[in-house]
Amino acid sequence: PHGKLSVKILQGRNFSGYASSRWRVELEVPEKLYGKGSQTEWMYPLSQTGAPEPAWGDEAAHNFNIDWEVAEDPKHEMPEQAFQRQVLELLHAQAKKIDSLESEVSALRAEQKK
């Protein structure tokens, strides 16, 4: 996916604590698919009100830039990408074998019914 993820914290419910307590929200979003720096953390400001229903103002909003790109060139693959590609190739090969075996079993069953 590519684009923006907009998050706005509005209000919490059933929080414990005192009315004078303030709460903070921290989010971690995978802006990139692989590699160092792929995760982006954002810490929202303290809530404006406390328990039991802390609320945040308009400043408790953030836009994350999502840019998940898969390297097409195996030379530029990250280790996680190479592993995922290998797993997908293995699953594809197994699916072909299963399809072939299912066809053989169906053919044998059809012969037995004759």
Side-chain angles (χ1 to χ4, degrees), residues 5 29 31 41-42 50 58 62 68 75 82 102 111 113:
L5 170 64
V29 174
E31 288 189 316
E41 292 183 18
W42 179 256
D58 290 335
H62 187 73
W68 291 12
K75 295 177 196 170
E102 285 177 342
E111 283 183 28
K113 289 183 181 180

Side-chain angles (χ1 to χ4, degrees), residues 1-2 15 25 29 42 49 53-54 58 83 85 96 106:
H2 300 278
F15 279 51
V25 175
V29 174
W42 179 256
T49 59
E53 295 184 352
D58 290 335
F83 175 73
R85 183 179 45 76
K96 280 185 173 181
S106 293

